[in-house]
Amino acid sequence: MKPADYYNDRKFCPTCEDYVYYLQSTTYSYCAECGDQVRLFSDEDWESFHASLKERKPKGGRPRKDKSA
């Protein structure tokens, strides 16, 4: 995995429908091409990200206590 690089960092612009360079403010990020608000992932990438997290999440809860003791 490559370390984060300021010059190659991009976010998804729903208007441009692509990962674009962006301008960061204190609250939001905006597309450098069209000026629309951008987000971290596209809808498809967001779904696959959450699906991969669910696969890694351990199933079940705490182990049961042994009542024979």
Side-chain angles (χ1 to χ4, degrees):
M1 183 173 188
K2 292 183 179 180
D5 180 3
Y6 172 80
Y7 295 103
N8 292 321
D9 192 24
R10 297 179 185 211
K11 290 188 178 182
F12 184 76
C13 176
T15 304
C16 298
E17 296 182 350
D18 197 15
Y19 286 89
V20 296
Y21 294 110
Y22 62 95
L23 303 170
Q24 180 77 40
S25 77
T26 56
T27 53
Y28 299 105
S29 301
Y30 299 95
C31 178
E33 298 293 321
C34 70
D36 196 16
Q37 191 172 337
V38 295
R39 57 183 189 242
L40 190 58
F41 293 118
S42 67
D43 291 334
E44 296 82 23
D45 290 342
W46 185 253
E47 292 297 324
S48 66
F49 175 72
H50 276 280
S52 68
L53 286 180
K54 280 185 179 180
E55 292 171 2
R56 287 190 242 162
K57 186 176 180 181
K59 296 195 167 55
R62 293 176 34 184
R64 296 187 181 267
K65 291 183 179 181
D66 188 19
K67 292 185 178 186
S68 63

